Amino acid sequence: MASRIWIFAVVVAVFLSLSSFSSAQDLQIVNAERRIDLSSHIVKAFLTLKVENIGKDPAADMLLAFPPTQIKNLAMVQALAVTGKKKKKTYLPLDVKPSEHPDAPNDAGYFLVSFASPLGPGETVTLEVLYILTHSLEPFPVEITQSESQLVYYRDSAVILSPYHIKQQTTFFKTPSTRVESFTSIEPANRAGKEIKYGPYEDRAPHSYAPVIVHFENNSPFAVVEELVREIEISHWGSLQITENYRLTHGGARHKGVFSRVEYQSRRSISGSSSFNALLAVLPPRVNSVYYRDDIGNISTSHLRTGFKKSELEFEPRYPLFGGWKATFVIGYRVPLEDYLFEAPDGRRYLNFTFGCPLVETIVNKLTLKVVLPEGSKDPSAVLPFTVNQDLQVKYSYLDIVGRTVVVLQKDNVVPTHNVPFQVYYTFKPIYMLAEPLMLVSAFFSVFVASLAYVHIDLNIVKK
Amino acid sequence: MATLESPPLGTPSAMRSAFGTVLSALILLLIGVLAFSIRLFSVIKYESVIHEFDPYFNYRVTQFLSKNGIYEFWNWFDDRTWYPLGRVIGGTVYPGLTLTAGTIWWALNAINIPLSVETVCVFTAPVFSAFASWATYLLTKEVKGSGAGLAAAALLAMVPSYISRSVAGSYDNEAVAIFALIFTFYLYIKTLNTGSLFYATLNAIAYFYMVCSWGGYTFIINLIPMHVLLCIVTGRYSPRLYIAYAPLVVLGTLLAALVPVVGFNAVLTSEHFASFLVFIIIHVVALVYYIKGILSPKMFKVAVTLVVSIGLVVCLIVVAVLVALVASSPTGGWSGRSLSLLDPTYASKYIPIIASVSEHQPPTWPSYFMDINVLAFLVPAGIIACFSPLSDASSFVVLYIVMSVYFSGVMVRLMLVLAPAACIMSGIALSQAFDVFTASIKYQLGRSANSKDDAEDNTSTNNAPKDDSSSGKTDKGEEVAKERPSKKGKKKEREPADKPSVKSKILKKRALVLPLEASIVALLLLIMLGAFYVIHCVWAAAEAYSAPSIVLTSQSRDGLHVFDDFRESYAWLSHNTDVDDKVASWWDYGYQTTAMANRTVIVDNNTWNNTHIATVGTAMSSPEKAAWEIFNSLDVKYVLVVFGGLIGYPSDDINKFLWMVRIGGGVFPHIKEADYLRDGNYRIDSEATPTMLNCLMYKLSYYRFVETDGKGYDRVRRTEIGKKNFKLTHFEEVFTSHHWMVRIYKLKPQKNRIRGRAKKLKLKTSSGLDSKPAKKNPWI
């Protein structure tokens, strides 16, 4: 009951604050359709918007609004402009930037989508927006035993939060199974199989908000990497050595009480259905020297399948992961240098590698990517399609004297969609490759010269 | 300034000597490589990982040292073990191994070779076995020349007994201690042969390193005095003996007292008394020799009677003091482990905790063959060779082998001390045998080839036909066998030494000559013996001694099957329990739990507190409720048991259980071994006693075991278990590893009080409250 009052209060507050917030009111959304995929713990929302300029001036951009509960879990927003009809559809990626509006009602967050060409008065454009939410499924009950399956809450609004007037809109929630405990009903709302449909709703004012809760079963693996440190070491002798340190946890409902191995082994279908014990990492093709271990040694449960397009490493943690259980491990591998290191037209070299986490269907809370450049490299710079924190460090490896420059890229809340190529540019003179061999040669040489001298020099004070 | 002896450099003998030096250096290098690489089977077949139990503790200490530095290390009070007592690591550990590996790690990192502490620890033992074989070369060279040295070094590089303790990953004290032992002996012999104070000082430092490394240093400090005494008794006293011994005792004892774990034990315990006694004796003898030198024979006789009477009195007083000291301490001044050396039955009679360790048991005959193989047959020959002629050095190695044979017969662990002695003896034997056979072949061939030539020509032509004639064939054979270069080098080494004396000793040589055929056959047999030894050693290194024991493998039809349950459950503990939780298990798993799971344990493999171990043993042998109370009083949150019944892993807790009962019963008499045995038989099937079927260890091991196959068939005991369906009331299963080898239970929290009882208690307390104000009132 209390929650109802709270929801009502929010709605009222939203409406009241509307007048104080004046955005570009000369756009309106003719038709909006939202499909939210709840089948894994990464929530994907596909938004199709038909936007019309009803003002007098051309509009260069539009805003997408997100409630404050979602904005902090928002991993990624992508927008595409659709042109053409039916079969001749073409998609044009649009620029999306977070945008600050301090006077936004109820701390709503905004993203600014820039149109490919300004939208003239009376014109319409169709946008496809994809946004991904992490940590948005809240387990309820919070703790489950081994034999229970996992139920989660998903909270959202039945109507799309938008600073524009929406003429007509529909929202679909897709659940992983037909088992739905409950969902908030805002007429017209109905459920068919795995799909819950809200709407169509007509003529909703800007910043309308109608909270809904969907309570459903979700037993997909909630694999969350709390921290991932990937180190890519470039050796100009012909290989890239990649070392990935994982701190994995099961982010679903916490495990309660006993863990019985006999039940887990004999009644696999109903016992520990929300737990997982197999993970899949997609590694580059031509990968070699793969290892999988942790602090206390090798973990002997893994299979590697190499292919032309990609390699797949199927592996198991030491023990099955139930809700709240943690595990750490390291995956390391080597790939040939010529596949990833190129020379830019201006003489600089650049590494072209994939950002993100190789594990499929996994959220990474904190990803640190370190690119260790060879000793003697200068002027490093990284090019990425999204913003990350950048830093420079120095690392000393085998027989280094001046140390190697390390480009550190750090990003929070990383999802598989972030697995896109990035580049690190640097300058390097090949003569530095010879520094360490020459050092070794001279060290051995001096040892032999010293022993030669020792044998031939008479150190006795008195002649015998 | 330049070449000192330039004229002889051009002569063939000098060239050959230089060539011999280079060749033996090369052979030594190869022996080092062999010693290192034969120990890498464990890394190649399994992985680069620390083995067994004690190495995990050493590894953990090394990690601490490399992280916190030497001063923190000396002051380290470890609160993660022996809860709630803790353990002062810095003062109770032999720091040699840890400091060695820590220094290596530090040096490598200083020149930017970023090896992990684990890698350094894994490879410390193989590196030091290479050092040990070089030390063996030096020692044997001092005794019987470099030919014997090379043979002994090659034998030691691959002796199975030493391999068993020094494969890659076996990061234990013995790994460096054997090197220190041999090197100390080498420096002692070197001092004895040269009389140089420089070597005497080095000897004391080497002894210090040995004291740092291993409790077995008492072997040195008893063996060397025995040898000194032997020399004195057999009339071999010399100033060199004095130089070799006196500085060692003074400096060595002072240095040994610097090691915290030894401290004043270096002068207080009876293991060291023999050295002091001999120290006194050698001074008396030295004095006697001195006086003999300055007095006339007549005066000397008078002096002798005087000194003997006074000396007797002094000795009596000293002996009386010693006896009083020894008698005043509870174990007679001897620690339990040392006592069990002198009286093999001592430990099993009085100290079950020592007797419960398999490596403290006397070895069986097959284990001699397994561990030293053909050396056992070569040793007697070596002893005989040492007596012709007997020198100070050769009498020392004879004494060494005699003592180590005795000690290895007491405790299987000390087979390790026997191994170097056996290698030295066999090296000497092989070298002498080869000398005799090749010399007679040479002689016979020379005689048949040019019998009319005189002796001088004989010697020079001897070497020429050797390369292409029939004896060259045996040489080739040696090279093919690839471990045999030692003998070849030895021959090269010995020839120049023998040559000048060939003419003079030609008569003697003729007396030793054997028939050609017999020599060749004997040589071939010796080579076969050596080849057999090599094959056996490689087999032992690859198959018998390389398993890391935390990972088990089994060969099945569909390939290799890996049982990694120990690490599975340690990893689970480390990631899914609170960092301050206490884990109770039998002491075997203490070191591994602290090192791999980083959790506090109640008891561990450093069995210093018998009562504490007995408490855990009692808890394991008690019924559930009593056990819960004991564990709860120790703040234990998890209990870990090892169970092999599902996959047939024999060294599990049920098989060790009788020791828990014995050790527990030794301190808490209500645990009686007889209650767990049915007619003297230890069984877990339906015939087992009710005490057995209701004890905690039985319940934790077999909880819900029957549900796996419906019958509860235990594959280790090869029987169905006695009690199949039962519930746990005070413990709950929180983790069981994939093959059920490790099972972890959590202590259930105390139950809420039942209403009826609570009411009663309330009444009691309320009445108590009522009475209190009544008492207090008068004061107000």
Side-chain angles (χ1 to χ4, degrees):
Chain A
M1 202 60 215
S3 63
R4 278 286 160 82
I5 293 168
W6 182 80
I7 288 164
F8 180 71
V10 169
V11 175
V12 169
V14 167
F15 273 99
L16 286 181
S17 58
L18 195 80
S19 51
S20 65
F21 183 78
S22 59
S23 128
Q25 289 292 334
D26 45 0
L27 289 178
Q28 76 162 346
I29 294 166
V30 182
N31 191 0
E33 187 190 276
R34 187 169 55 151
R35 294 183 174 272
I36 297 175
D37 183 3
L38 301 173
S39 50
S40 86
H41 65 139
I42 301 172
V43 177
K44 300 185 195 76
F46 303 93
L47 203 61
T48 312
L49 301 173
K50 200 173 172 195
V51 185
E52 186 185 12
N53 189 350
I54 52 170
K56 293 188 178 67
D57 305 319
D61 43 33
M62 70 170 290
L63 288 170
L64 297 173
F66 294 95
T69 47
Q70 287 185 355
I71 197 87
K72 65 175 192 292
N73 294 328
L74 200 60
M76 166 170 267
V77 182
Q78 283 177 334
L80 302 167
V82 187
T83 52
K85 293 261 173 179
K86 294 272 171 179
K87 282 181 183 171
K88 288 181 195 162
K89 269 185 186 173
T90 50
Y91 295 95
L92 188 69
L94 299 179
D95 193 27
V96 183
K97 279 198 297 274
S99 133
E100 290 288 320
H101 288 269
D103 54 347
N106 285 355
D107 303 325
Y110 291 90
F111 280 80
L112 193 70
V113 180
S114 310
F115 297 125
S117 55
L119 197 62
E123 285 180 342
T124 60
V125 68
T126 308
L127 295 181
E128 294 273 0
V129 177
L130 163 71
Y131 62 90
I132 293 172
L133 296 168
T134 58
H135 302 290
S136 297
L137 300 182
E138 177 195 336
F140 189 86
V142 177
E143 289 188 331
I144 55 171
T145 62
Q146 189 178 351
S147 56
E148 287 175 302
S149 73
Q150 178 172 269
L151 298 171
V152 294
Y153 277 149
Y154 177 69
R155 298 164 200 276
D156 204 336
S157 165
V159 292
I160 299 165
L161 184 69
S162 171
Y164 309 109
H165 184 84
I166 303 176
K167 274 188 154 172
Q168 191 186 33
Q169 58 175 315
T170 329
T171 295
F172 299 92
F173 292 103
K174 189 177 164 243
T175 58
S177 68
T178 52
R179 187 174 167 199
V180 175
E181 294 287 296
S182 68
F183 61 96
T184 315
S185 177
I186 294 176
E187 287 302 328
N190 55 43
R191 179 167 84 93
K194 293 180 178 178
E195 202 168 68
I196 302 165
K197 182 181 176 188
Y198 282 97
Y201 303 110
E202 310 278 345
D203 285 324
R204 292 294 165 135
H207 291 105
S208 301
Y209 195 75
V212 290
I213 294 182
V214 188
H215 192 199
F216 60 100
E217 182 191 58
N218 189 338
N219 281 326
S220 70
F222 278 39
V224 178
V225 179
E226 289 180 333
E227 190 177 3
L228 168 60
V229 180
R230 297 181 83 191
E231 191 178 272
I232 301 166
E233 194 166 331
I234 302 171
S235 160
H236 277 256
W237 293 98
S239 67
L240 281 185
Q241 172 70 47
I242 296 118
T243 315
E244 298 168 349
N245 277 284
Y246 290 88
R247 215 170 73 215
L248 185 75
T249 185
H250 185 300
R254 295 185 59 79
H255 177 68
K256 179 173 72 178
V258 303
F259 164 63
S260 168
R261 179 67 73 165
V262 64
E263 271 176 27
Y264 183 76
Q265 279 171 339
S266 58
R267 290 181 277 277
R268 190 64 188 85
S269 54
I270 55 155
S271 172
S273 48
S274 70
S275 72
F276 61 92
N277 71 339
L279 294 163
L280 183 69
V282 178
L283 304 181
R286 300 178 64 190
V287 65
N288 60 63
S289 316
V290 182
Y291 65 84
Y292 167 48
R293 54 172 294 151
D294 67 359
D295 300 339
I296 54 177
N298 282 355
I299 310 173
S300 45
T301 45
S302 55
H303 298 283
L304 180 72
R305 285 188 297 272
T306 49
F308 287 110
K309 291 231 169 121
K310 61 179 182 184
S311 307
E312 285 185 337
L313 178 71
E314 206 177 71
F315 63 98
E316 293 175 13
R318 286 198 186 271
Y319 40 85
L321 284 175
F322 281 79
W325 287 12
K326 294 181 173 67
T328 60
F329 53 87
V330 183
I331 294 177
Y333 48 93
R334 192 171 286 180
V335 286
L337 189 71
E338 63 264 26
D339 295 4
Y340 300 97
L341 195 81
F342 307 98
E343 201 165 334
D346 59 352
R348 290 192 298 169
R349 284 145 209 277
Y350 69 95
L351 170 83
N352 186 22
F353 206 72
T354 316
F355 195 82
C357 167
L359 298 185
V360 296
E361 283 296 304
T362 312
I363 300 169
V364 182
N365 289 353
K366 185 182 175 191
L367 171 72
T368 311
L369 204 146
K370 296 179 177 176
V371 180
V372 183
L373 303 176
E375 198 179 20
S377 327
K378 289 194 183 70
D379 315 320
S381 66
V383 179
L384 287 107
F386 37 78
T387 53
V388 294
N389 300 332
Q390 294 195 16
D391 196 8
L392 286 183
Q393 287 177 352
V394 176
K395 184 193 170 186
Y396 292 92
S397 185
Y398 290 93
L399 297 172
D400 286 350
I401 291 172
V402 292
R404 305 183 183 196
T405 314
V406 183
V407 181
V408 183
L409 309 171
Q410 201 262 316
K411 181 166 171 56
D412 290 344
N413 221 358
V414 177
V415 290
T417 346
H418 285 115
N419 292 2
V420 289
F422 73 99
Q423 291 80 35
V424 175
Y425 289 86
Y426 63 96
T427 54
F428 178 74
K429 289 199 187 76
I431 191 72
Y432 285 111
M433 286 166 71
L434 293 176
E436 278 158 18
L438 284 179
M439 211 162 71
L440 281 179
V441 166
S442 51
F444 274 96
F445 183 72
S446 52
V447 165
F448 282 112
V449 165
S451 57
L452 208 67
Y454 175 77
V455 166
H456 286 271
I457 293 173
D458 182 9
L459 289 172
N460 280 331
I461 299 169
V462 187
K463 280 273 176 199
K464 276 182 191 168
Chain B
M1 163 158 179
T3 50
L4 281 179
E5 260 99 3
S6 50
L9 200 72
T11 64
S13 75
M15 277 303 284
R16 270 232 303 274
S17 136
F19 181 64
T21 315
V22 170
L23 192 66
S24 44
L26 187 68
I27 291 165
L28 276 179
L29 189 73
L30 288 177
I31 288 174
V33 171
L34 169 73
F36 183 81
S37 50
I38 200 172
R39 286 164 171 83
L40 298 187
F41 275 110
S42 61
V43 171
I44 292 160
K45 285 186 73 180
Y46 296 88
E47 57 179 285
S48 170
V49 73
I50 307 282
H51 288 201
E52 309 223 327
F53 304 104
D54 289 20
Y56 267 98
F57 170 74
N58 298 326
Y59 169 50
R60 183 164 160 258
V61 176
T62 316
Q63 272 182 320
F64 183 90
L65 174 71
S66 56
K67 205 194 278 172
N68 299 304
I70 180 85
Y71 293 107
E72 285 293 311
F73 165 70
W74 291 124
N75 292 326
W76 185 19
F77 178 80
D78 184 11
D79 59 355
R80 301 212 79 91
T81 181
W82 292 98
Y83 182 84
L85 308 169
R87 177 182 171 194
V88 187
I89 300 284
T92 59
V93 79
Y94 285 99
L97 175 76
T98 320
L99 292 181
T100 308
T103 313
I104 295 173
W105 178 83
W106 174 83
L108 286 177
N109 276 272
I111 56 166
N112 281 332
I113 299 181
L115 291 182
S116 67
V117 178
E118 191 189 5
T119 313
V120 172
C121 292
V122 165
F123 292 102
T124 298
V127 167
F128 270 79
S129 12
F131 292 169
S133 43
W134 293 332
T136 310
Y137 165 75
L138 292 173
L139 173 56
T140 320
K141 189 184 165 199
E142 285 302 311
V143 178
K144 278 281 170 189
S146 55
L150 287 172
L155 292 174
L156 186 99
M158 47 188 174
V159 62
S161 168
Y162 186 29
I163 286 179
S164 74
R165 289 301 181 136
S166 63
V167 292
S170 183
Y171 179 58
D172 211 345
N173 289 337
E174 289 93 330
V176 298
I178 292 303
F179 158 71
L181 180 87
I182 301 171
F183 198 64
T184 312
F185 285 156
Y186 156 67
L187 285 169
Y188 170 69
I189 297 291
K190 185 80 184 173
T191 324
L192 202 56
N193 284 348
T194 58
S196 151
L197 205 52
F198 170 70
Y199 284 112
T201 318
L202 283 188
N203 188 18
I205 293 169
Y207 172 67
F208 173 58
Y209 184 64
M210 177 70 193
V211 177
C212 281
S213 304
W214 197 30
Y217 76 92
T218 48
F219 184 67
I220 295 183
I221 205 62
N222 284 302
L223 186 69
I224 289 181
M226 280 165 88
H227 178 245
V228 171
L229 203 62
L230 187 78
C231 284
I232 291 171
V233 168
T234 53
R236 292 177 156 270
Y237 173 80
S238 66
R240 286 179 286 109
L241 187 69
Y242 183 84
I243 294 290
Y245 186 66
L248 174 67
V249 172
V250 177
L251 278 178
T253 307
L254 283 175
L255 287 171
L258 291 180
V259 183
V261 63
V262 178
F264 280 106
N265 284 348
V267 287
L268 285 181
T269 56
S270 42
E271 284 106 328
H272 305 82
F273 284 173
S275 64
F276 301 135
L277 200 67
V278 173
F279 186 67
I280 296 168
I281 292 172
I282 198 171
H283 275 95
V284 170
V285 171
L287 191 69
V288 169
Y289 272 86
Y290 176 69
I291 291 169
K292 200 176 178 181
I294 56 170
L295 291 183
S296 63
K298 202 178 174 190
M299 284 290 284
F300 181 67
K301 260 188 185 166
V302 179
V304 163
T305 40
L306 189 75
V307 167
V308 162
S309 48
I310 294 173
L312 222 58
V313 172
V314 171
C315 279
L316 276 177
I317 292 169
V318 168
V319 166
V321 167
L322 286 185
V323 167
L325 269 177
V326 169
S328 64
S329 63
T331 56
W334 293 77
S335 60
R337 264 169 227 191
S338 312
L339 269 182
S340 74
L341 288 182
L342 296 178
D343 173 12
T345 56
Y346 176 86
S348 49
K349 265 194 260 172
Y350 303 110
I351 314 173
I353 203 141
I354 291 180
S356 74
V357 181
S358 60
E359 63 183 23
H360 292 158
Q361 303 295 327
T364 51
W365 285 112
S367 71
Y368 273 98
F369 186 73
M370 176 72 198
D371 277 357
I372 58 173
N373 200 245
V374 301
L375 304 188
F377 310 119
L378 289 172
V379 162
I383 294 177
I384 292 168
C386 279
F387 277 98
S388 56
L390 187 70
S391 64
D392 290 348
S394 64
S395 70
F396 177 76
V397 288
V398 171
L399 189 69
Y400 177 24
I401 185 106
V402 171
M403 293 315 292
S404 58
V405 165
Y406 171 72
F407 284 128
S408 69
V410 173
M411 210 189 253
V412 70
R413 195 156 107 124
L414 293 177
M415 195 78 96
L416 197 59
V417 177
L418 169 67
C423 289
I424 291 166
M425 281 302 173
S426 313
I428 291 171
L430 275 181
S431 154
Q432 297 282 317
F434 268 82
D435 258 0
V436 169
F437 295 139
T438 49
S440 37
I441 290 175
K442 242 191 302 187
Y443 178 77
Q444 301 279 14
L445 284 178
R447 202 176 53 173
S448 61
N450 39 3
S451 48
K452 58 183 181 290
D453 278 14
D454 62 341
E456 202 178 274
D457 276 358
N458 203 355
T459 51
S460 57
T461 47
N462 261 348
N463 301 299
K466 198 191 72 177
D467 286 344
D468 42 41
S469 72
S470 63
S471 79
K473 198 170 61 190
T474 58
D475 262 68
K476 293 260 166 59
E478 281 173 27
E479 275 173 332
V480 169
K482 97 181 171 191
E483 308 307 344
R484 302 274 65 83
S486 52
K487 269 130 237 165
K488 195 164 182 283
K490 167 227 72 193
K491 220 189 294 172
K492 285 271 194 288
E493 270 293 294
R494 292 204 64 81
E495 269 163 27
D498 287 345
K499 235 182 37 158
S501 57
V502 161
K503 252 191 285 179
S504 59
K505 287 185 182 168
I506 195 82
L507 281 173
K508 197 186 170 194
K509 215 174 178 184
R510 194 162 283 156
L512 284 174
V513 158
L514 294 168
L516 179 68
E517 295 76 19
S519 304
I520 290 174
V521 168
L523 266 184
L524 287 177
L525 284 176
L526 271 186
I527 289 166
M528 271 175 62
L529 196 70
F532 180 69
Y533 176 71
V534 172
I535 290 167
H536 174 81
C537 291
V538 172
W539 172 83
E543 301 295 330
Y545 291 137
S546 286
S549 95
I550 54 161
V551 190
L552 309 170
T553 52
S554 78
Q555 202 77 42
S556 63
R557 269 172 284 109
D558 46 339
L560 198 71
H561 199 78
V562 180
F563 301 93
D564 204 359
D565 286 36
F566 285 110
R567 289 192 296 190
E568 177 184 346
S569 39
Y570 291 136
W572 184 86
L573 273 177
S574 115
H575 291 122
N576 299 307
T577 58
D578 190 73
V579 75
D580 286 325
D581 285 343
K582 280 84 189 167
V583 180
S585 66
W586 190 234
W587 60 263
D588 295 22
Y589 313 104
Y591 278 166
Q592 291 185 348
T593 312
T594 43
M596 283 198 262
N598 190 21
R599 291 295 170 269
T600 309
V601 296
I602 306 299
V603 291
D604 70 20
N605 309 45
N606 176 265
T607 52
W608 66 273
N609 189 325
N610 191 36
T611 315
H612 222 50
I613 292 179
T615 311
V616 174
T618 307
M620 293 296 189
S621 353
S622 303
E624 220 186 315
K625 188 165 194 317
W628 185 90
E629 275 160 9
I630 293 172
F631 281 142
N632 194 47
S633 70
L634 287 169
D635 288 352
V636 169
K637 205 155 175 203
Y638 296 95
V639 181
L640 180 150
V641 294
V642 173
F643 171 64
L646 185 76
I647 53 151
Y649 169 64
S651 48
D652 65 349
D653 277 348
I654 290 285
N655 272 5
K656 291 174 186 166
F657 182 59
L658 271 192
W659 288 111
M660 304 184 201
V661 173
R662 274 174 211 155
I663 292 170
V667 177
F668 303 99
H670 69 276
I671 303 289
K672 294 182 193 70
E673 191 179 339
D675 293 345
Y676 297 84
L677 302 175
R678 173 75 72 193
D679 305 326
N681 290 323
Y682 178 59
R683 51 200 308 171
I684 46 105
D685 55 7
S686 47
E687 292 292 300
T689 59
T691 324
M692 178 69 212
L693 294 181
N694 284 313
C695 73
L696 184 71
M697 180 50 74
Y698 182 91
K699 285 194 163 179
L700 296 191
S701 290
Y702 293 114
Y703 178 62
R704 297 187 78 176
F705 178 56
V706 70
E707 290 173 44
T708 53
D709 58 353
K711 289 185 300 190
Y713 182 78
D714 186 321
R715 283 182 178 75
V716 176
R717 268 65 58 175
R718 296 175 186 283
T719 172
E720 275 182 37
I721 59 172
K723 195 171 171 183
K724 291 178 179 172
N725 295 300
F726 54 86
K727 284 203 169 84
L728 293 173
T729 47
H730 298 281
F731 294 84
E732 63 181 9
E733 182 186 10
V734 287
F735 188 77
T736 298
S737 63
H738 188 235
H739 304 99
W740 290 55
M741 276 166 62
V742 182
R743 311 195 69 182
I744 301 171
Y745 293 84
K746 190 178 180 179
L747 270 74
K748 276 189 188 167
Q750 239 161 344
K751 276 217 179 92
N752 286 337
R753 290 201 167 116
I754 317 156
R755 183 172 277 177
R757 276 184 67 192
K759 248 183 201 168
K760 248 183 236 167
L761 281 166
K762 215 182 228 172
L763 275 174
K764 248 185 217 167
T765 48
S766 62
S767 64
L769 279 172
D770 285 347
S771 61
K772 255 185 190 170
K775 264 184 190 172
K776 265 187 182 173
N777 266 341
W779 291 99
I780 297 165

